[in-house]
Amino acid sequence: MPNRRIAPLAAVTAAGLLATLSACGTEDSSAEAQTGTKKVTLTVATFNQFGYEDLLTEYQKLNPNVTIKHKKAATTNEARDNLNTRLAAGSGLSDIEAVEVDWLPELMQYSSKFKDLKSDDVQGRWLDWKTAAATDAKGRLIGYGTDSGPEAICYRSDLFAKAGLPSDREAVAQLLGDSWDSYFAAGRQFKAKTDVPWFDSMGATYQGMINQVESTYEKKDDGSIIATTNPEVRKTFDAVVKAGKEEGLSAGLQQWSDDWVASFQKDGFATMLCPGWMLGVIEGNAKGVKGWDVANTFPGGGGNWGGSYLTVPTQSKNQAEAQKLAAWLTAPEQQIKAFVKVGAFPSQTKALESADLTNVKNAFFNNAPTGQLFAERAKAVTVTPYKGAKYFPINDAMQQALTRVEDGSMTPAQSWDRFVADVKALG
C-alpha cells in the first residue's frame, strides 16, 4: 500500500534509530520445520486498506494452530512512527510489519533487524524492481511485496456532464490527454463551467508528478542531497502551485484529513490521481455517491504511487510461522482477492497475467474494467524513481511546503525557503 498520508515529520528519525538501535533479536534460521507443530498467536501490523480481513480469517481456517491479531494504523505515517519507535526500543514489534515503499529505503540501513525471507518457494514471484527494492547489499530479501500503485485518473462523470463535458471514460481519457499540460487545461475548461474544484490536493498532485522523475532528492551514487538544487524538483513545485493556487484548480484539501474524507460526500472535487489502492478508499468515503468512474490515462504517460511489503522483524519469537503467513498473503491468488476487495493492485508476475485479474470489473466505478485498465497502466510505467534513505523526510518536508501555500500561511517563495531550511536541518 502506498503513500497514504501527509503529516508532520516522524517523531523518531532515521538518525535517532541509528543512535539507539541495539541488539533487537536474532534471526531464526531453523524455522521451516517448526511451522504447524504448536499453537501460536501471530500479530500483523498494517495500515489503511490492505484488504486482508477476510484473508486472515481464511488462513486461520487453513491453519488451525494459528491465531492472528491484526493491528491496523490509520495512516502510513502512524505505522512508520510505531515501527521506528519499537525498532529503536528493541521490542514491541508485530510478528509481521507492513512497510510502505517510500520509507523502506531508510529501513534498509538496518536490514539485519529483519529476517531474510529469501527462499526457493518465492523465487521470481514479483516484478524485478519490486524485489530489488527490498534486497540489501548482502542479497538478503527483507520484505515480500504486496501491491503496487499504477495510476489512472478517477473522476466524477456526473459533474463532468453538468459542466457540459464528455463523461464516458473513453471520451474523458481523450479530454484529459497524456500530459500534465493537457490535464490542467481540461481543468481550466471544467472550472469555467462550474464552481467545483478540479482536483483534491496540491500535495497529491505533486506526488504523482514527482514519481515520474528518476532522480529527485538524493544522488544514487553517493547519497548526497540534491532536493533543493534539483531543477526538476523546483519545476514540479512551481507547476503544482501555478495550477492549484494561482489558477484555482485545487480544492485545497490534505489527503487523509477529516475535510478531505468529508468532501467525497459534498461534490468536493471532480478528479483525482488514482492508483489502484485508492479505489477502495474512494468507495469507502463516497458511499452512496453515484458517478465515480476511472479513465484509462495518466498525465506524463505512466506513474506508480505506493506499494508495500510485509517484513518479519528479528524481534519476533515466531519468525517461521510469520514468514509462512507473509508468503501466503503475498501469493498471487491472495493478492488478486485483495485487489477485488480494496483495489490493491498485485505486484506478482503471475497475478498480472491471470484472467482472474484482468476480468475484474468494479461496480462502484460504473463497472469499469479495473483489472484490465490497471494492468495497462502498469505497463505504461517506465520510470522507477530512486529513493534513498532520506527520501521520506524530505518528501514530507515538501508536502508541508505545499500545505503552507495551499492554506495561505505562506507565499510560494516563503514556503520554498522554509523547505530549503527544513532539508538542511535533516543533515
Side-chain angles (χ1 to χ4, degrees):
M1 278 303 93
N3 197 351
R4 306 144 211 202
R5 49 107 286 284
I6 290 167
L9 291 171
V12 179
T13 66
L17 269 179
L18 191 61
T20 55
L21 274 174
S22 57
C24 296
T26 56
E27 186 166 353
D28 177 1
S29 59
S30 60
E32 299 308 326
Q34 298 176 3
T35 60
T37 60
K38 62 180 181 180
K39 289 192 176 295
V40 62
T41 297
L42 297 177
T43 50
V44 179
T46 66
F47 45 87
N48 295 317
Q49 295 290 348
F50 275 65
Y52 280 174
E53 283 76 4
D54 292 344
L55 291 175
L56 295 179
T57 299
E58 181 180 346
Y59 187 84
Q60 290 172 94
K61 290 180 179 177
L62 293 172
N63 299 271
N65 66 308
V66 176
T67 299
I68 300 172
K69 293 185 177 179
H70 189 192
K71 304 175 181 178
K72 190 159 72 172
T75 67
T76 184
N77 266 23
E78 180 183 331
R80 174 178 174 264
D81 289 352
N82 289 337
L83 191 154
N84 284 350
T85 299
R86 290 165 176 76
L87 189 64
S91 64
L93 288 173
S94 294
D95 296 298
I96 293 177
E97 289 278 346
V99 173
E100 209 266 327
V101 64
D102 283 354
W103 35 287
L104 176 65
E106 63 188 12
L107 292 179
M108 294 302 288
Q109 299 174 99
Y110 323 112
S111 60
S112 63
K113 305 303 177 187
F114 297 88
K115 179 176 173 57
D116 182 5
L117 301 176
K118 189 169 53 182
S119 84
D120 292 341
D121 293 341
V122 299
Q123 182 73 27
R125 173 178 286 185
W126 296 276
L127 298 167
D128 289 345
W129 62 266
K130 189 75 176 180
T131 300
T135 303
D136 69 10
K138 295 181 179 178
R140 301 172 69 254
L141 178 66
I142 72 160
Y144 285 162
T146 59
D147 62 328
S148 61
E151 294 195 85
I153 299 292
C154 290
Y155 71 99
R156 286 280 300 276
S157 62
D158 55 325
L159 298 180
F160 273 56
K162 286 181 181 178
L165 298 178
S167 59
D168 69 85
R169 64 180 70 97
E170 290 78 15
V172 169
Q174 289 290 322
L175 173 69
L176 300 179
D178 58 5
S179 71
W180 291 103
D181 285 344
S182 61
Y183 173 66
F184 293 143
R188 291 190 291 272
Q189 191 177 346
F190 177 84
K191 185 173 181 293
K193 303 288 184 62
T194 176
D195 293 329
V196 177
W198 179 238
F199 59 76
D200 58 337
S201 160
M202 293 200 323
T205 305
Y206 170 90
Q207 196 64 50
M209 298 175 76
I210 206 67
N211 280 341
Q212 295 174 324
V213 179
E214 188 165 357
S215 181
T216 53
Y217 303 144
E218 299 158 277
K219 282 186 176 178
K220 188 175 183 178
D221 54 356
D222 62 6
S224 58
I225 295 176
I226 57 172
T228 60
T229 57
N230 185 347
E232 289 291 334
V233 174
R234 183 59 193 258
K235 177 184 173 184
T236 306
F237 174 85
D238 288 342
V240 171
V241 169
K242 180 176 184 295
K245 190 71 173 180
E246 297 175 15
E247 297 179 339
L249 300 184
S250 175
L253 299 165
Q254 308 308 307
Q255 287 198 335
W256 317 110
S257 68
D258 291 343
D259 288 344
W260 180 76
V261 171
S263 71
F264 285 87
Q265 296 288 335
K266 302 176 182 176
D267 296 346
F269 49 87
T271 70
M272 64 184 299
L273 309 190
C274 188
W277 51 262
M278 190 65 84
L279 298 180
V281 177
I282 294 172
E283 184 173 353
N285 292 341
K287 187 176 182 179
V289 176
K290 298 185 182 302
W292 278 100
D293 209 325
V294 192
N296 187 0
T297 189
F298 193 71
N304 184 83
W305 183 6
S308 297
Y309 295 83
L310 299 183
T311 67
V312 177
T314 56
Q315 290 182 19
S316 169
K317 305 300 183 187
N318 307 296
Q319 293 176 35
E321 291 283 7
Q323 180 175 0
K324 181 181 175 182
L325 171 57
W328 185 85
L329 285 170
T330 59
E333 297 82 2
Q334 278 63 255
Q335 196 57 50
I336 291 174
K337 292 178 182 177
F339 175 67
V340 173
K341 188 74 174 180
V342 298
F345 192 76
S347 59
Q348 295 77 2
T349 54
K350 285 188 177 179
L352 299 179
E353 299 166 353
S354 171
D356 291 338
L357 176 76
T358 56
N359 289 336
V360 171
K361 294 186 177 181
N362 191 311
F364 182 81
F365 289 86
N366 191 27
N367 284 319
T370 50
Q372 183 64 40
L373 190 154
F374 280 100
E376 292 178 10
R377 298 319 313 159
K379 293 176 183 176
V381 178
T382 58
V383 174
T384 302
Y386 171 68
K387 297 180 179 180
K390 293 186 177 178
Y391 176 87
F392 189 90
I394 293 173
N395 197 55
D396 227 5
M398 172 57 77
Q399 292 292 342
Q400 292 178 58
L402 291 166
T403 297
R404 291 190 293 269
V405 176
E406 202 142 51
D407 67 18
S409 61
M410 286 189 182
T411 67
Q414 290 171 334
S415 197
W416 175 266
D417 289 344
R418 172 71 177 274
F419 167 70
V420 172
D422 287 345
V423 171
K424 287 182 178 177
L426 293 171

Short mmCIF file of all heavy atoms in Angstrom, two decimals, residues 19-61:
data_model
loop_
_atom_site.label_atom_id
_atom_site.label_comp_id
_atom_site.label_asym_id
_atom_site.label_seq_id
_atom_site.Cartn_x
_atom_site.Cartn_y
_atom_site.Cartn_z
N ALA A 19 21.18 5.84 16.28
CA ALA A 19 21.83 6.06 17.57
C ALA A 19 21.34 5.09 18.62
O ALA A 19 22.06 4.78 19.57
CB ALA A 19 21.58 7.49 18.03
N THR A 20 20.13 4.60 18.49
CA THR A 20 19.56 3.83 19.59
C THR A 20 19.43 2.35 19.32
O THR A 20 19.20 1.58 20.24
CB THR A 20 18.16 4.37 19.94
OG1 THR A 20 17.36 4.35 18.75
CG2 THR A 20 18.25 5.78 20.46
N LEU A 21 19.59 1.92 18.08
CA LEU A 21 19.44 0.50 17.80
C LEU A 21 20.50 -0.32 18.51
O LEU A 21 21.66 0.02 18.54
CB LEU A 21 19.56 0.25 16.29
CG LEU A 21 18.26 0.42 15.51
CD1 LEU A 21 18.54 0.28 14.02
CD2 LEU A 21 17.22 -0.59 15.94
N SER A 22 20.06 -1.37 19.11
CA SER A 22 20.99 -2.27 19.78
C SER A 22 20.60 -3.68 19.40
O SER A 22 20.02 -3.92 18.36
CB SER A 22 20.91 -2.06 21.29
OG SER A 22 19.59 -2.27 21.73
N ALA A 23 20.92 -4.63 20.22
CA ALA A 23 20.52 -5.99 19.92
C ALA A 23 19.00 -6.09 19.94
O ALA A 23 18.38 -5.91 20.97
CB ALA A 23 21.10 -6.95 20.93
N CYS A 24 18.40 -6.33 18.79
CA CYS A 24 16.95 -6.34 18.68
C CYS A 24 16.45 -7.73 18.32
O CYS A 24 15.51 -7.89 17.57
CB CYS A 24 16.49 -5.33 17.63
SG CYS A 24 16.89 -3.64 18.06
N GLY A 25 17.06 -8.77 18.84
CA GLY A 25 16.66 -10.11 18.48
C GLY A 25 17.58 -10.66 17.42
O GLY A 25 18.38 -9.95 16.82
N THR A 26 17.49 -11.95 17.21
CA THR A 26 18.34 -12.59 16.22
C THR A 26 17.49 -13.36 15.24
O THR A 26 16.33 -13.71 15.53
CB THR A 26 19.30 -13.58 16.91
OG1 THR A 26 18.54 -14.52 17.68
CG2 THR A 26 20.27 -12.82 17.82
N GLU A 27 18.08 -13.62 14.08
CA GLU A 27 17.33 -14.29 13.04
C GLU A 27 17.21 -15.77 13.34
O GLU A 27 18.19 -16.43 13.67
CB GLU A 27 18.01 -14.07 11.69
CG GLU A 27 17.20 -14.63 10.54
CD GLU A 27 17.71 -14.10 9.21
OE1 GLU A 27 18.59 -13.22 9.23
OE2 GLU A 27 17.23 -14.57 8.18
N ASP A 28 15.99 -16.26 13.17
CA ASP A 28 15.71 -17.67 13.38
C ASP A 28 15.84 -18.37 12.04
O ASP A 28 14.97 -18.27 11.19
CB ASP A 28 14.30 -17.84 13.94
CG ASP A 28 13.92 -19.30 14.12
OD1 ASP A 28 14.77 -20.16 13.83
OD2 ASP A 28 12.79 -19.56 14.55
N SER A 29 16.93 -19.07 11.82
CA SER A 29 17.18 -19.68 10.53
C SER A 29 16.76 -21.15 10.49
O SER A 29 16.88 -21.82 9.48
CB SER A 29 18.67 -19.57 10.17
OG SER A 29 19.45 -20.21 11.16
N SER A 30 16.23 -21.64 11.59
CA SER A 30 15.91 -23.06 11.62
C SER A 30 14.45 -23.32 11.28
O SER A 30 13.98 -24.40 11.28
CB SER A 30 16.16 -23.64 13.01
OG SER A 30 15.38 -22.99 13.94
N ALA A 31 13.83 -22.43 11.02
CA ALA A 31 12.43 -22.30 11.05
C ALA A 31 11.51 -23.21 10.32
O ALA A 31 10.51 -23.58 10.88
CB ALA A 31 12.14 -20.95 10.58
N GLU A 32 11.83 -23.54 9.10
CA GLU A 32 10.82 -24.17 8.25
C GLU A 32 10.18 -25.38 8.93
O GLU A 32 8.98 -25.57 8.86
CB GLU A 32 11.46 -24.60 6.93
CG GLU A 32 12.03 -23.43 6.13
CD GLU A 32 11.04 -22.30 5.94
OE1 GLU A 32 9.84 -22.57 5.80
OE2 GLU A 32 11.45 -21.14 5.96
N ALA A 33 10.99 -26.22 9.60
CA ALA A 33 10.45 -27.44 10.19
C ALA A 33 9.58 -27.14 11.39
O ALA A 33 8.86 -28.02 11.86
CB ALA A 33 11.59 -28.37 10.58
N GLN A 34 9.61 -25.93 11.88
CA GLN A 34 8.89 -25.62 13.11
C GLN A 34 7.44 -25.21 12.86
O GLN A 34 6.66 -25.16 13.80
CB GLN A 34 9.60 -24.49 13.85
CG GLN A 34 11.03 -24.86 14.27
CD GLN A 34 11.74 -23.69 14.91
OE1 GLN A 34 11.16 -22.63 15.09
NE2 GLN A 34 13.00 -23.88 15.24
N THR A 35 7.06 -24.90 11.65
CA THR A 35 5.71 -24.41 11.42
C THR A 35 4.69 -25.52 11.56
O THR A 35 4.94 -26.67 11.19
CB THR A 35 5.58 -23.78 10.02
OG1 THR A 35 5.87 -24.77 9.04
CG2 THR A 35 6.53 -22.62 9.87
N GLY A 36 3.54 -25.15 12.11
CA GLY A 36 2.43 -26.09 12.20
C GLY A 36 2.54 -27.11 13.32
O GLY A 36 1.70 -28.00 13.44
N THR A 37 3.55 -26.99 14.17
CA THR A 37 3.77 -28.01 15.21
C THR A 37 3.20 -27.62 16.56
O THR A 37 3.08 -28.47 17.44
CB THR A 37 5.27 -28.28 15.38
OG1 THR A 37 5.92 -27.05 15.77
CG2 THR A 37 5.88 -28.78 14.08
N LYS A 38 2.87 -26.36 16.73
CA LYS A 38 2.32 -25.93 18.02
C LYS A 38 1.41 -24.74 17.82
O LYS A 38 1.48 -24.04 16.80
CB LYS A 38 3.44 -25.57 18.99
CG LYS A 38 4.30 -24.40 18.51
CD LYS A 38 5.40 -24.07 19.50
CE LYS A 38 6.23 -22.89 19.03
NZ LYS A 38 7.32 -22.55 19.97
N LYS A 39 0.56 -24.48 18.79
CA LYS A 39 -0.34 -23.33 18.70
C LYS A 39 0.47 -22.05 18.85
O LYS A 39 1.38 -21.96 19.69
CB LYS A 39 -1.41 -23.41 19.78
CG LYS A 39 -2.45 -24.50 19.51
CD LYS A 39 -3.64 -24.36 20.41
CE LYS A 39 -4.72 -25.39 20.07
NZ LYS A 39 -5.26 -25.16 18.71
N VAL A 40 0.12 -21.06 18.05
CA VAL A 40 0.87 -19.81 18.06
C VAL A 40 -0.08 -18.65 17.75
O VAL A 40 -1.04 -18.80 17.00
CB VAL A 40 2.02 -19.86 17.02
CG1 VAL A 40 1.47 -20.02 15.61
CG2 VAL A 40 2.89 -18.62 17.10
N THR A 41 0.17 -17.53 18.38
CA THR A 41 -0.57 -16.30 18.08
C THR A 41 0.36 -15.34 17.35
O THR A 41 1.44 -15.00 17.86
CB THR A 41 -1.09 -15.64 19.37
OG1 THR A 41 -2.01 -16.51 20.01
CG2 THR A 41 -1.80 -14.32 19.04
N LEU A 42 -0.04 -14.94 16.14
CA LEU A 42 0.76 -14.02 15.33
C LEU A 42 0.10 -12.64 15.33
O LEU A 42 -1.12 -12.53 15.21
CB LEU A 42 0.86 -14.52 13.89
CG LEU A 42 1.58 -15.86 13.66
CD1 LEU A 42 1.53 -16.23 12.18
CD2 LEU A 42 3.03 -15.78 14.15
N THR A 43 0.92 -11.62 15.45
CA THR A 43 0.43 -10.25 15.31
C THR A 43 0.86 -9.72 13.95
O THR A 43 1.98 -9.93 13.50
CB THR A 43 0.99 -9.35 16.42
OG1 THR A 43 2.42 -9.52 16.49
CG2 THR A 43 0.38 -9.70 17.76
N VAL A 44 -0.07 -9.03 13.29
CA VAL A 44 0.17 -8.49 11.95
C VAL A 44 -0.18 -7.00 11.97
O VAL A 44 -1.32 -6.63 12.27
CB VAL A 44 -0.69 -9.21 10.89
CG1 VAL A 44 -0.46 -8.61 9.51
CG2 VAL A 44 -0.40 -10.71 10.89
N ALA A 45 0.80 -6.15 11.68
CA ALA A 45 0.58 -4.69 11.69
C ALA A 45 0.53 -4.17 10.26
O ALA A 45 1.50 -4.32 9.50
CB ALA A 45 1.70 -4.00 12.47
N THR A 46 -0.60 -3.57 9.88
CA THR A 46 -0.73 -2.95 8.56
C THR A 46 -1.25 -1.52 8.75
O THR A 46 -1.34 -1.04 9.88
CB THR A 46 -1.69 -3.74 7.65
OG1 THR A 46 -3.03 -3.68 8.21
CG2 THR A 46 -1.26 -5.20 7.52
N PHE A 47 -1.60 -0.89 7.66
CA PHE A 47 -2.15 0.47 7.74
C PHE A 47 -3.14 0.67 6.58
O PHE A 47 -3.07 -0.04 5.57
CB PHE A 47 -1.05 1.53 7.68
CG PHE A 47 -0.02 1.28 6.62
CD1 PHE A 47 -0.19 1.73 5.33
CD2 PHE A 47 1.14 0.56 6.92
CE1 PHE A 47 0.76 1.48 4.35
CE2 PHE A 47 2.10 0.30 5.95
CZ PHE A 47 1.91 0.77 4.66
N ASN A 48 -4.03 1.58 6.76
CA ASN A 48 -5.04 1.86 5.73
C ASN A 48 -5.73 0.58 5.28
O ASN A 48 -6.17 -0.20 6.09
CB ASN A 48 -4.41 2.61 4.56
CG ASN A 48 -3.94 3.97 4.98
OD1 ASN A 48 -4.62 4.67 5.71
ND2 ASN A 48 -2.75 4.35 4.56
N GLN A 49 -5.77 0.33 3.97
CA GLN A 49 -6.54 -0.81 3.45
C GLN A 49 -5.65 -1.77 2.67
O GLN A 49 -5.27 -1.49 1.54
CB GLN A 49 -7.67 -0.29 2.55
CG GLN A 49 -8.72 0.55 3.24
CD GLN A 49 -9.59 -0.27 4.17
OE1 GLN A 49 -9.58 -1.49 4.16
NE2 GLN A 49 -10.35 0.44 5.02
N PHE A 50 -5.34 -2.91 3.28
CA PHE A 50 -4.62 -3.95 2.56
C PHE A 50 -5.60 -5.01 2.01
O PHE A 50 -5.20 -5.85 1.22
CB PHE A 50 -3.61 -4.64 3.49
CG PHE A 50 -2.28 -3.93 3.58
CD1 PHE A 50 -2.19 -2.67 4.14
CD2 PHE A 50 -1.13 -4.52 3.11
CE1 PHE A 50 -0.97 -2.00 4.22
CE2 PHE A 50 0.11 -3.88 3.19
CZ PHE A 50 0.17 -2.61 3.76
N GLY A 51 -6.85 -4.99 2.48
CA GLY A 51 -7.81 -5.99 2.05
C GLY A 51 -7.56 -7.36 2.65
O GLY A 51 -7.88 -8.39 2.05
N TYR A 52 -7.00 -7.39 3.86
CA TYR A 52 -6.56 -8.66 4.45
C TYR A 52 -7.56 -9.28 5.42
O TYR A 52 -7.35 -10.42 5.87
CB TYR A 52 -5.23 -8.45 5.20
CG TYR A 52 -4.02 -8.42 4.30
CD1 TYR A 52 -2.77 -8.12 4.83
CD2 TYR A 52 -4.10 -8.73 2.95
CE1 TYR A 52 -1.64 -8.11 4.02
CE2 TYR A 52 -2.98 -8.71 2.14
CZ TYR A 52 -1.75 -8.40 2.68
OH TYR A 52 -0.64 -8.39 1.88
N GLU A 53 -8.63 -8.57 5.79
CA GLU A 53 -9.50 -9.07 6.85
C GLU A 53 -10.02 -10.48 6.55
O GLU A 53 -9.89 -11.41 7.36
CB GLU A 53 -10.67 -8.10 7.08
CG GLU A 53 -10.31 -6.85 7.87
CD GLU A 53 -9.53 -5.82 7.06
OE1 GLU A 53 -9.34 -6.04 5.85
OE2 GLU A 53 -9.12 -4.80 7.62
N ASP A 54 -10.61 -10.67 5.38
CA ASP A 54 -11.14 -11.99 5.03
C ASP A 54 -10.01 -13.01 4.84
O ASP A 54 -10.17 -14.19 5.16
CB ASP A 54 -11.96 -11.91 3.74
CG ASP A 54 -13.25 -11.10 3.94
OD1 ASP A 54 -13.65 -10.89 5.09
OD2 ASP A 54 -13.84 -10.69 2.91
N LEU A 55 -8.89 -12.55 4.33
CA LEU A 55 -7.77 -13.47 4.10
C LEU A 55 -7.21 -14.00 5.41
O LEU A 55 -6.83 -15.18 5.51
CB LEU A 55 -6.66 -12.76 3.31
CG LEU A 55 -7.00 -12.42 1.85
CD1 LEU A 55 -5.87 -11.60 1.20
CD2 LEU A 55 -7.23 -13.70 1.04
N LEU A 56 -7.14 -13.15 6.42
CA LEU A 56 -6.63 -13.61 7.71
C LEU A 56 -7.57 -14.65 8.32
O LEU A 56 -7.12 -15.61 8.95
CB LEU A 56 -6.44 -12.42 8.65
CG LEU A 56 -5.37 -11.39 8.22
CD1 LEU A 56 -5.29 -10.23 9.21
CD2 LEU A 56 -4.00 -12.04 8.07
N THR A 57 -8.86 -14.45 8.14
CA THR A 57 -9.82 -15.45 8.61
C THR A 57 -9.64 -16.77 7.85
O THR A 57 -9.65 -17.86 8.45
CB THR A 57 -11.26 -14.93 8.40
OG1 THR A 57 -11.43 -13.73 9.17
CG2 THR A 57 -12.28 -15.97 8.84
N GLU A 58 -9.45 -16.66 6.54
CA GLU A 58 -9.25 -17.86 5.71
C GLU A 58 -7.98 -18.60 6.15
O GLU A 58 -7.98 -19.83 6.24
CB GLU A 58 -9.14 -17.45 4.24
CG GLU A 58 -8.94 -18.63 3.29
CD GLU A 58 -8.83 -18.18 1.83
OE1 GLU A 58 -9.17 -17.02 1.52
OE2 GLU A 58 -8.39 -19.00 1.00
N TYR A 59 -6.93 -17.87 6.43
CA TYR A 59 -5.66 -18.51 6.81
C TYR A 59 -5.81 -19.27 8.13
O TYR A 59 -5.26 -20.37 8.29
CB TYR A 59 -4.56 -17.45 6.94
CG TYR A 59 -3.18 -18.05 7.17
CD1 TYR A 59 -2.42 -18.48 6.09
CD2 TYR A 59 -2.64 -18.17 8.44
CE1 TYR A 59 -1.16 -19.04 6.28
CE2 TYR A 59 -1.39 -18.72 8.65
CZ TYR A 59 -0.65 -19.15 7.56
OH TYR A 59 0.60 -19.70 7.75
N GLN A 60 -6.54 -18.70 9.06
CA GLN A 60 -6.72 -19.37 10.35
C GLN A 60 -7.52 -20.66 10.20
O GLN A 60 -7.28 -21.64 10.92
CB GLN A 60 -7.40 -18.42 11.34
CG GLN A 60 -6.49 -17.28 11.77
CD GLN A 60 -7.20 -16.22 12.61
OE1 GLN A 60 -7.18 -16.28 13.83
NE2 GLN A 60 -7.84 -15.27 11.95
N LYS A 61 -8.45 -20.69 9.24
CA LYS A 61 -9.19 -21.93 8.98
C LYS A 61 -8.28 -22.98 8.37
O LYS A 61 -8.39 -24.17 8.66
CB LYS A 61 -10.37 -21.65 8.05
CG LYS A 61 -11.47 -20.83 8.71
CD LYS A 61 -12.63 -20.59 7.73
CE LYS A 61 -13.75 -19.79 8.41
NZ LYS A 61 -14.83 -19.47 7.46
#
